[in-house]
Structures are given as C-alpha cells and as structure tokens.
Amino acid sequence: MGVFHSVQGDSLTILQAPGYVSFQKGDWPISGEKIPDMVALTMGFSVQEDLSWPGLRAGQLFQRPRANVLVVVRGVDSLALPQNVASYPLENPVPFTLDSVAETVHSLFADDTPVVLQLAPSEERLYMLGKANAVFEDLPVTLQQIRSRLSQDGSVLASLPLNSLNRNAEADLLFLSEVQVLHDITALLQRHRHLAQDHSPDLYSLELSGLEELGRRYGQDSPQYRDATAILANVLQKFGEDVFGLYGDSAVVEVVTVKSFEAPLTRKSRSILESKQISNPGSPYNLAYKYNFNYAVIFNIVLWLMIILALAVIVISYNLWNMDPGYDSIIYRMTNQKIRLD
C-alpha cells in the first residue's frame, strides 16, 4: 500500500491489489478503451491485443485474484484517496464496459457460477450472472427502491456528515443513493462470505454519476459538490478496504474518475436478475453469435478428423483398385481351388 500520489486530470487509481498483481508506480497514461483489457489481465485472462502499458507487469502464472471491482465515478477528474497502490492519468476517456470480461468469466467458469455484477444506479441498470442472482436479489435497484432504503434502519444517512447536502433535494438524493448501494454491497458480501471461498473469480462493475448531477445542479465550486466529493472519497476508501478484506486480501479494486466522457455510451438495456445469455438466437437485428472460447478446440478436432478420414478413404480405394483378386483375396483363392477339384 502506498501513500497518496496525485494525478491531475482524469485518472485510474488502484485502491487495492494483492502482491502478486504487480502495478508499477509512474505517470504512464492509459487509454479509456484499454481499461477492459487491463482488468482482464489482472484476472489472469488473455486479451486479443497485447497491452503495451508499463503500469502493469506480468504476474505469477498460477495465482489470480478472487475478485476485481471497478468503480467509475463521473463528474470529477480526481479524488483524494489517501491510501492507494498506484495512480495513472487517463487519456482518451471514451465510454467502456466490462461486458467482454464478464462473458469470459462466465464461459470459463460456467460450472462454478461466479458472481458477475454490473450496476449503474442513476440509469437503473443492473446485470447479474451466476451466484449474484441469489446474493444480490434484495439489492435496491430503482431510484425509488434506493430512496426507500435510505429511510430504513441501517441507512447511511445516520452516519454520514451531510453538511450542506439536503436529503430532500433530487440531485443530493441521487448521490446519497449511490453511497447507500456501496454500503449494501459490502453488507451483502459480509453476509455471504462463502462467495470469496470458491475457485471462480468474481467481477463487479459500478458506475456512479451522483457527483456529475451535483455539479450540474449546484456548480463545481458549490459547498454541496465539495462536501459530496469528500464523502465519496472516504466511502470509496472504506469500500475498497472492506472488499479487499472480505476476499482474503485477494482482490483488485480500481477507481476511474472522469470529468465527462467524450461520447455518450449507448448500451442495450438488460432486464433485472437476467439469467445467462451468451448466444442470441432469433435476434431481429441479425447479430452474430457470441464468441465461444471452445470454438478453436472443436474446430481443430473436426478439421483433423476429416483430414484423417479423407486420407484413409484414398489409401483404401487405391489398394482396392490395384488389388489382384487371384493373389490378394482369400475368397477368390479358395474359389479357384474348388474349381480345380471339380
């Protein structure tokens, strides 16, 4: 764990990481579109193109973290996170998703039902696979559910120093709702500690836009925005420590802070508690099937089996064509002896 290292502008901060995932300190910028590849490599997966970024070194071959948690914070370019492993400038902040990593986790560990949770409270977007369906089924998703949760026992409103924030204002309530979701995720993980004991890695992707709404509503020089920024920095620091501890110090926790994305992110919405969907038969848009990582294995088996069978047919046909029935066939040989006896 290192001391706070400030990065001006949009940034990627590694809050927590085990020792065998080697992040190097430095000001090496990373492109937003490369974040999914970086996450995949930290989990021990291969990527289509090599990540030529010196911030992450090759780790141990037989050790991989049990979980990866990525939190994207919109509306601020940096947060004062006093304890972190490393921090890097983020360039080309284009929208990105971890869909490819989620599909890799699901395809490689389908029998172990890993946890895959992607959540954006402001857009009421939730995507879950595997054990997440059972563990996080009570997680408030819609803004109405989260606001109702804020009025219940154990709400973060009782412990947060709200200062200038107003729990009745729309923008303030959205920000507080996202803080509540972070609190509830760690609470559910503490209740289901067995998730960290299995052999399949878990993936969490959270997108928070409460600060962006506060900046739009009050301005970034307002006391509401400053108070919310300080609250979120403290909450994320504790969130990272809690998740890291729950997974036995074997989790990577990253925070991406971006003032604004360069292009709006267009995604197909998914239903809440969606079950596994890897292929899309009957798509009205004529989309291709999702890539199956067993394709290369099956292709080679079928290809070489066909080649061997074709060669066998050619060799057998050649020998039958050039066979002398009188000498090479026992049927004709016995027939000739019977004719001579008669």
mmCIF file of all heavy atoms in Angstrom, residues 118-154:
data_model
loop_
_atom_site.group_PDB
_atom_site.id
_atom_site.type_symbol
_atom_site.label_atom_id
_atom_site.label_comp_id
_atom_site.label_asym_id
_atom_site.label_seq_id
_atom_site.Cartn_x
_atom_site.Cartn_y
_atom_site.Cartn_z
ATOM 1 N N GLN A 118 -22.926 -5.916 -12.621
ATOM 2 C CA GLN A 118 -22.703 -4.623 -13.257
ATOM 3 C C GLN A 118 -23.896 -3.739 -12.908
ATOM 4 O O GLN A 118 -25.036 -4.086 -13.190
ATOM 5 C CB GLN A 118 -22.574 -4.784 -14.774
ATOM 6 C CG GLN A 118 -21.401 -5.682 -15.181
ATOM 7 C CD GLN A 118 -21.216 -5.738 -16.672
ATOM 8 O OE1 GLN A 118 -20.918 -4.736 -17.313
ATOM 9 N NE2 GLN A 118 -21.395 -6.908 -17.239
ATOM 10 N N LEU A 119 -23.602 -2.574 -12.325
ATOM 11 C CA LEU A 119 -24.663 -1.753 -11.757
ATOM 12 C C LEU A 119 -24.398 -0.278 -12.017
ATOM 13 O O LEU A 119 -23.274 0.205 -11.845
ATOM 14 C CB LEU A 119 -24.756 -2.013 -10.243
ATOM 15 C CG LEU A 119 -25.764 -1.192 -9.447
ATOM 16 C CD1 LEU A 119 -27.184 -1.488 -9.912
ATOM 17 C CD2 LEU A 119 -25.620 -1.482 -7.964
ATOM 18 N N ALA A 120 -25.444 0.425 -12.458
ATOM 19 C CA ALA A 120 -25.420 1.879 -12.620
ATOM 20 C C ALA A 120 -26.715 2.417 -12.018
ATOM 21 O O ALA A 120 -27.749 2.447 -12.689
ATOM 22 C CB ALA A 120 -25.290 2.277 -14.084
ATOM 23 N N PRO A 121 -26.699 2.825 -10.738
ATOM 24 C CA PRO A 121 -27.945 3.229 -10.077
ATOM 25 C C PRO A 121 -28.670 4.377 -10.764
ATOM 26 O O PRO A 121 -29.899 4.384 -10.837
ATOM 27 C CB PRO A 121 -27.473 3.634 -8.675
ATOM 28 C CG PRO A 121 -26.189 2.897 -8.471
ATOM 29 C CD PRO A 121 -25.555 2.844 -9.822
ATOM 30 N N SER A 122 -27.938 5.364 -11.292
ATOM 31 C CA SER A 122 -28.602 6.523 -11.887
ATOM 32 C C SER A 122 -29.410 6.143 -13.118
ATOM 33 O O SER A 122 -30.411 6.776 -13.444
ATOM 34 C CB SER A 122 -27.565 7.594 -12.258
ATOM 35 O OG SER A 122 -26.678 7.102 -13.255
ATOM 36 N N GLU A 123 -28.963 5.106 -13.826
ATOM 37 C CA GLU A 123 -29.683 4.643 -15.011
ATOM 38 C C GLU A 123 -30.559 3.432 -14.705
ATOM 39 O O GLU A 123 -31.160 2.870 -15.621
ATOM 40 C CB GLU A 123 -28.683 4.296 -16.121
ATOM 41 C CG GLU A 123 -27.808 5.474 -16.541
ATOM 42 C CD GLU A 123 -26.797 5.079 -17.604
ATOM 43 O OE1 GLU A 123 -26.949 3.983 -18.178
ATOM 44 O OE2 GLU A 123 -25.869 5.860 -17.858
ATOM 45 N N GLU A 124 -30.592 3.037 -13.432
ATOM 46 C CA GLU A 124 -31.362 1.869 -13.009
ATOM 47 C C GLU A 124 -31.000 0.646 -13.854
ATOM 48 O O GLU A 124 -31.850 -0.126 -14.266
ATOM 49 C CB GLU A 124 -32.869 2.158 -13.084
ATOM 50 C CG GLU A 124 -33.305 3.298 -12.174
ATOM 51 C CD GLU A 124 -34.807 3.512 -12.163
ATOM 52 O OE1 GLU A 124 -35.489 2.861 -12.974
ATOM 53 O OE2 GLU A 124 -35.280 4.328 -11.355
ATOM 54 N N ARG A 125 -29.700 0.512 -14.130
ATOM 55 C CA ARG A 125 -29.209 -0.584 -14.962
ATOM 56 C C ARG A 125 -28.520 -1.609 -14.074
ATOM 57 O O ARG A 125 -27.615 -1.289 -13.306
ATOM 58 C CB ARG A 125 -28.227 -0.057 -16.018
ATOM 59 C CG ARG A 125 -27.792 -1.119 -17.016
ATOM 60 C CD ARG A 125 -26.915 -0.531 -18.118
ATOM 61 N NE ARG A 125 -25.593 -0.190 -17.654
ATOM 62 C CZ ARG A 125 -25.085 1.030 -17.724
ATOM 63 N NH1 ARG A 125 -25.796 2.014 -18.194
ATOM 64 N NH2 ARG A 125 -23.850 1.264 -17.303
ATOM 65 N N LEU A 126 -28.963 -2.836 -14.181
ATOM 66 C CA LEU A 126 -28.408 -3.929 -13.382
ATOM 67 C C LEU A 126 -28.259 -5.162 -14.254
ATOM 68 O O LEU A 126 -29.160 -5.517 -14.998
ATOM 69 C CB LEU A 126 -29.313 -4.239 -12.191
ATOM 70 C CG LEU A 126 -28.934 -5.458 -11.339
ATOM 71 C CD1 LEU A 126 -27.598 -5.227 -10.652
ATOM 72 C CD2 LEU A 126 -30.006 -5.764 -10.328
ATOM 73 N N TYR A 127 -27.096 -5.795 -14.166
ATOM 74 C CA TYR A 127 -26.830 -7.020 -14.914
ATOM 75 C C TYR A 127 -26.131 -7.982 -13.977
ATOM 76 O O TYR A 127 -25.094 -7.655 -13.408
ATOM 77 C CB TYR A 127 -25.963 -6.708 -16.132
ATOM 78 C CG TYR A 127 -25.566 -7.919 -16.950
ATOM 79 C CD1 TYR A 127 -26.498 -8.891 -17.274
ATOM 80 C CD2 TYR A 127 -24.257 -8.069 -17.409
ATOM 81 C CE1 TYR A 127 -26.138 -9.982 -18.031
ATOM 82 C CE2 TYR A 127 -23.888 -9.157 -18.172
ATOM 83 C CZ TYR A 127 -24.831 -10.115 -18.477
ATOM 84 O OH TYR A 127 -24.479 -11.207 -19.230
ATOM 85 N N MET A 128 -26.715 -9.157 -13.799
ATOM 86 C CA MET A 128 -26.152 -10.123 -12.874
ATOM 87 C C MET A 128 -26.098 -11.497 -13.516
ATOM 88 O O MET A 128 -26.973 -11.866 -14.294
ATOM 89 C CB MET A 128 -26.984 -10.191 -11.586
ATOM 90 C CG MET A 128 -27.007 -8.901 -10.808
ATOM 91 S SD MET A 128 -27.685 -9.106 -9.136
ATOM 92 C CE MET A 128 -29.378 -9.499 -9.502
ATOM 93 N N LEU A 129 -25.050 -12.235 -13.166
ATOM 94 C CA LEU A 129 -24.900 -13.615 -13.619
ATOM 95 C C LEU A 129 -24.456 -14.475 -12.442
ATOM 96 O O LEU A 129 -23.873 -13.984 -11.476
ATOM 97 C CB LEU A 129 -23.853 -13.713 -14.738
ATOM 98 C CG LEU A 129 -24.273 -13.269 -16.140
ATOM 99 C CD1 LEU A 129 -23.085 -13.331 -17.083
ATOM 100 C CD2 LEU A 129 -25.401 -14.121 -16.671
ATOM 101 N N GLY A 130 -24.698 -15.782 -12.555
ATOM 102 C CA GLY A 130 -24.199 -16.725 -11.569
ATOM 103 C C GLY A 130 -24.834 -16.540 -10.208
ATOM 104 O O GLY A 130 -26.030 -16.293 -10.061
ATOM 105 N N LYS A 131 -23.996 -16.644 -9.172
ATOM 106 C CA LYS A 131 -24.477 -16.566 -7.799
ATOM 107 C C LYS A 131 -24.998 -15.183 -7.433
ATOM 108 O O LYS A 131 -25.677 -15.024 -6.423
ATOM 109 C CB LYS A 131 -23.356 -16.957 -6.834
ATOM 110 C CG LYS A 131 -22.935 -18.416 -6.938
ATOM 111 C CD LYS A 131 -21.812 -18.723 -5.974
ATOM 112 C CE LYS A 131 -21.371 -20.179 -6.091
ATOM 113 N NZ LYS A 131 -20.246 -20.488 -5.209
ATOM 114 N N ALA A 132 -24.687 -14.181 -8.260
ATOM 115 C CA ALA A 132 -25.171 -12.834 -7.963
ATOM 116 C C ALA A 132 -26.684 -12.782 -7.953
ATOM 117 O O ALA A 132 -27.288 -11.979 -7.241
ATOM 118 C CB ALA A 132 -24.617 -11.847 -8.993
ATOM 119 N N ASN A 133 -27.331 -13.635 -8.742
ATOM 120 C CA ASN A 133 -28.797 -13.630 -8.779
ATOM 121 C C ASN A 133 -29.401 -13.935 -7.421
ATOM 122 O O ASN A 133 -30.442 -13.389 -7.058
ATOM 123 C CB ASN A 133 -29.295 -14.655 -9.806
ATOM 124 C CG ASN A 133 -29.158 -14.154 -11.221
ATOM 125 O OD1 ASN A 133 -29.439 -13.015 -11.503
ATOM 126 N ND2 ASN A 133 -28.699 -15.017 -12.111
ATOM 127 N N ALA A 134 -28.773 -14.820 -6.678
ATOM 128 C CA ALA A 134 -29.301 -15.188 -5.361
ATOM 129 C C ALA A 134 -28.821 -14.245 -4.269
ATOM 130 O O ALA A 134 -29.570 -13.915 -3.349
ATOM 131 C CB ALA A 134 -28.894 -16.625 -5.019
ATOM 132 N N VAL A 135 -27.574 -13.796 -4.373
ATOM 133 C CA VAL A 135 -26.993 -12.988 -3.303
ATOM 134 C C VAL A 135 -27.517 -11.556 -3.337
ATOM 135 O O VAL A 135 -27.849 -10.970 -2.296
ATOM 136 C CB VAL A 135 -25.453 -12.998 -3.417
ATOM 137 C CG1 VAL A 135 -24.844 -12.057 -2.386
ATOM 138 C CG2 VAL A 135 -24.919 -14.402 -3.232
ATOM 139 N N PHE A 136 -27.602 -10.973 -4.525
ATOM 140 C CA PHE A 136 -27.957 -9.563 -4.643
ATOM 141 C C PHE A 136 -29.396 -9.341 -5.108
ATOM 142 O O PHE A 136 -29.721 -8.282 -5.624
ATOM 143 C CB PHE A 136 -26.997 -8.866 -5.612
ATOM 144 C CG PHE A 136 -25.573 -8.867 -5.141
ATOM 145 C CD1 PHE A 136 -24.645 -9.729 -5.709
ATOM 146 C CD2 PHE A 136 -25.152 -8.023 -4.130
ATOM 147 C CE1 PHE A 136 -23.326 -9.739 -5.281
ATOM 148 C CE2 PHE A 136 -23.851 -8.035 -3.694
ATOM 149 C CZ PHE A 136 -22.932 -8.891 -4.268
ATOM 150 N N GLU A 137 -30.243 -10.341 -4.939
ATOM 151 C CA GLU A 137 -31.624 -10.180 -5.381
ATOM 152 C C GLU A 137 -32.371 -9.138 -4.555
ATOM 153 O O GLU A 137 -33.337 -8.528 -5.029
ATOM 154 C CB GLU A 137 -32.367 -11.517 -5.318
ATOM 155 C CG GLU A 137 -32.444 -12.125 -3.920
ATOM 156 C CD GLU A 137 -33.161 -13.460 -3.928
ATOM 157 O OE1 GLU A 137 -33.660 -13.825 -5.009
ATOM 158 O OE2 GLU A 137 -33.223 -14.122 -2.872
ATOM 159 N N ASP A 138 -31.919 -8.902 -3.315
ATOM 160 C CA ASP A 138 -32.549 -7.899 -2.463
ATOM 161 C C ASP A 138 -31.896 -6.529 -2.581
ATOM 162 O O ASP A 138 -32.287 -5.589 -1.868
ATOM 163 C CB ASP A 138 -32.517 -8.350 -0.996
ATOM 164 C CG ASP A 138 -33.337 -9.619 -0.773
ATOM 165 O OD1 ASP A 138 -34.332 -9.806 -1.500
ATOM 166 O OD2 ASP A 138 -32.967 -10.422 0.099
ATOM 167 N N LEU A 139 -30.906 -6.397 -3.444
ATOM 168 C CA LEU A 139 -30.227 -5.112 -3.605
ATOM 169 C C LEU A 139 -31.175 -4.112 -4.255
ATOM 170 O O LEU A 139 -31.741 -4.388 -5.318
ATOM 171 C CB LEU A 139 -28.976 -5.289 -4.459
ATOM 172 C CG LEU A 139 -28.032 -4.083 -4.569
ATOM 173 C CD1 LEU A 139 -27.343 -3.839 -3.228
ATOM 174 C CD2 LEU A 139 -26.988 -4.324 -5.660
ATOM 175 N N PRO A 140 -31.394 -2.943 -3.661
ATOM 176 C CA PRO A 140 -32.276 -1.951 -4.288
ATOM 177 C C PRO A 140 -31.681 -1.460 -5.595
ATOM 178 O O PRO A 140 -30.508 -1.108 -5.657
ATOM 179 C CB PRO A 140 -32.348 -0.837 -3.237
ATOM 180 C CG PRO A 140 -31.133 -1.001 -2.394
ATOM 181 C CD PRO A 140 -30.831 -2.468 -2.382
ATOM 182 N N VAL A 141 -32.507 -1.427 -6.631
ATOM 183 C CA VAL A 141 -32.017 -1.116 -7.960
ATOM 184 C C VAL A 141 -32.585 0.202 -8.473
ATOM 185 O O VAL A 141 -31.851 1.110 -8.853
ATOM 186 C CB VAL A 141 -32.355 -2.256 -8.941
ATOM 187 C CG1 VAL A 141 -31.877 -1.917 -10.339
ATOM 188 C CG2 VAL A 141 -31.746 -3.562 -8.471
ATOM 189 N N THR A 142 -33.897 0.306 -8.480
ATOM 190 C CA THR A 142 -34.513 1.533 -8.979
ATOM 191 C C THR A 142 -34.307 2.654 -7.964
ATOM 192 O O THR A 142 -34.084 2.415 -6.764
ATOM 193 C CB THR A 142 -36.009 1.329 -9.225
ATOM 194 O OG1 THR A 142 -36.664 1.093 -7.972
ATOM 195 C CG2 THR A 142 -36.246 0.136 -10.140
ATOM 196 N N LEU A 143 -34.374 3.886 -8.441
ATOM 197 C CA LEU A 143 -34.187 5.024 -7.555
ATOM 198 C C LEU A 143 -35.251 5.053 -6.466
ATOM 199 O O LEU A 143 -34.989 5.457 -5.326
ATOM 200 C CB LEU A 143 -34.219 6.316 -8.374
ATOM 201 C CG LEU A 143 -33.058 6.506 -9.350
ATOM 202 C CD1 LEU A 143 -33.215 7.801 -10.113
ATOM 203 C CD2 LEU A 143 -31.724 6.474 -8.627
ATOM 204 N N GLN A 144 -36.432 4.607 -6.791
ATOM 205 C CA GLN A 144 -37.497 4.565 -5.787
ATOM 206 C C GLN A 144 -37.164 3.564 -4.680
ATOM 207 O O GLN A 144 -37.362 3.837 -3.491
ATOM 208 C CB GLN A 144 -38.820 4.202 -6.448
ATOM 209 C CG GLN A 144 -40.013 4.214 -5.487
ATOM 210 C CD GLN A 144 -41.321 3.907 -6.187
ATOM 211 O OE1 GLN A 144 -41.335 3.684 -7.399
ATOM 212 N NE2 GLN A 144 -42.406 3.897 -5.435
ATOM 213 N N GLN A 145 -36.618 2.399 -5.070
ATOM 214 C CA GLN A 145 -36.236 1.402 -4.073
ATOM 215 C C GLN A 145 -35.098 1.907 -3.195
ATOM 216 O O GLN A 145 -35.092 1.699 -1.972
ATOM 217 C CB GLN A 145 -35.833 0.106 -4.773
ATOM 218 C CG GLN A 145 -36.972 -0.628 -5.451
ATOM 219 C CD GLN A 145 -36.481 -1.825 -6.246
ATOM 220 O OE1 GLN A 145 -35.302 -1.931 -6.585
ATOM 221 N NE2 GLN A 145 -37.395 -2.741 -6.546
ATOM 222 N N ILE A 146 -34.119 2.580 -3.824
ATOM 223 C CA ILE A 146 -32.964 3.060 -3.060
ATOM 224 C C ILE A 146 -33.394 4.169 -2.105
ATOM 225 O O ILE A 146 -32.939 4.239 -0.949
ATOM 226 C CB ILE A 146 -31.867 3.551 -4.013
ATOM 227 C CG1 ILE A 146 -31.410 2.418 -4.939
ATOM 228 C CG2 ILE A 146 -30.665 4.070 -3.232
ATOM 229 C CD1 ILE A 146 -30.411 2.841 -5.989
ATOM 230 N N ARG A 147 -34.279 5.059 -2.554
ATOM 231 C CA ARG A 147 -34.744 6.135 -1.678
ATOM 232 C C ARG A 147 -35.535 5.567 -0.505
ATOM 233 O O ARG A 147 -35.448 6.086 0.612
ATOM 234 C CB ARG A 147 -35.594 7.112 -2.489
ATOM 235 C CG ARG A 147 -34.758 7.939 -3.463
ATOM 236 C CD ARG A 147 -35.607 8.636 -4.492
ATOM 237 N NE ARG A 147 -34.779 9.327 -5.473
ATOM 238 C CZ ARG A 147 -35.248 9.857 -6.592
ATOM 239 N NH1 ARG A 147 -36.531 9.774 -6.875
ATOM 240 N NH2 ARG A 147 -34.426 10.473 -7.427
ATOM 241 N N SER A 148 -36.285 4.515 -0.782
ATOM 242 C CA SER A 148 -36.996 3.854 0.316
ATOM 243 C C SER A 148 -36.011 3.226 1.293
ATOM 244 O O SER A 148 -36.226 3.250 2.514
ATOM 245 C CB SER A 148 -37.941 2.797 -0.254
ATOM 246 O OG SER A 148 -38.566 2.072 0.780
ATOM 247 N N ARG A 149 -34.922 2.690 0.767
ATOM 248 C CA ARG A 149 -33.892 2.084 1.617
ATOM 249 C C ARG A 149 -33.232 3.144 2.508
ATOM 250 O O ARG A 149 -32.857 2.848 3.654
ATOM 251 C CB ARG A 149 -32.842 1.415 0.724
ATOM 252 C CG ARG A 149 -31.622 0.870 1.440
ATOM 253 C CD ARG A 149 -31.967 -0.340 2.278
ATOM 254 N NE ARG A 149 -30.792 -0.834 2.972
ATOM 255 C CZ ARG A 149 -30.420 -0.410 4.190
ATOM 256 N NH1 ARG A 149 -31.142 0.500 4.835
ATOM 257 N NH2 ARG A 149 -29.339 -0.909 4.754
ATOM 258 N N LEU A 150 -33.111 4.376 2.017
ATOM 259 C CA LEU A 150 -32.481 5.435 2.804
ATOM 260 C C LEU A 150 -33.285 5.781 4.054
ATOM 261 O O LEU A 150 -32.733 6.322 5.017
ATOM 262 C CB LEU A 150 -32.296 6.687 1.943
ATOM 263 C CG LEU A 150 -31.177 6.634 0.898
ATOM 264 C CD1 LEU A 150 -31.250 7.841 -0.019
ATOM 265 C CD2 LEU A 150 -29.811 6.558 1.570
ATOM 266 N N SER A 151 -34.570 5.492 4.038
ATOM 267 C CA SER A 151 -35.413 5.812 5.187
ATOM 268 C C SER A 151 -35.518 4.661 6.175
ATOM 269 O O SER A 151 -36.198 4.784 7.196
ATOM 270 C CB SER A 151 -36.815 6.199 4.705
ATOM 271 O OG SER A 151 -37.423 5.122 4.012
ATOM 272 N N GLN A 152 -34.854 3.547 5.893
ATOM 273 C CA GLN A 152 -34.941 2.377 6.758
ATOM 274 C C GLN A 152 -33.792 2.358 7.768
ATOM 275 O O GLN A 152 -32.862 3.178 7.706
ATOM 276 C CB GLN A 152 -34.930 1.099 5.914
ATOM 277 C CG GLN A 152 -36.088 0.976 4.943
ATOM 278 C CD GLN A 152 -35.950 -0.224 4.026
ATOM 279 O OE1 GLN A 152 -35.009 -1.014 4.155
ATOM 280 N NE2 GLN A 152 -36.888 -0.375 3.100
ATOM 281 N N ASP A 153 -33.862 1.397 8.677
ATOM 282 C CA ASP A 153 -32.790 1.243 9.661
ATOM 283 C C ASP A 153 -31.498 0.821 8.961
ATOM 284 O O ASP A 153 -31.514 0.067 7.995
ATOM 285 C CB ASP A 153 -33.182 0.195 10.700
ATOM 286 C CG ASP A 153 -34.366 0.649 11.550
ATOM 287 O OD1 ASP A 153 -34.581 1.866 11.639
ATOM 288 O OD2 ASP A 153 -35.075 -0.220 12.098
ATOM 289 N N GLY A 154 -30.387 1.290 9.464
ATOM 290 C CA GLY A 154 -29.103 0.958 8.869
ATOM 291 C C GLY A 154 -28.759 1.808 7.674
ATOM 292 O O GLY A 154 -27.810 1.502 6.943
#
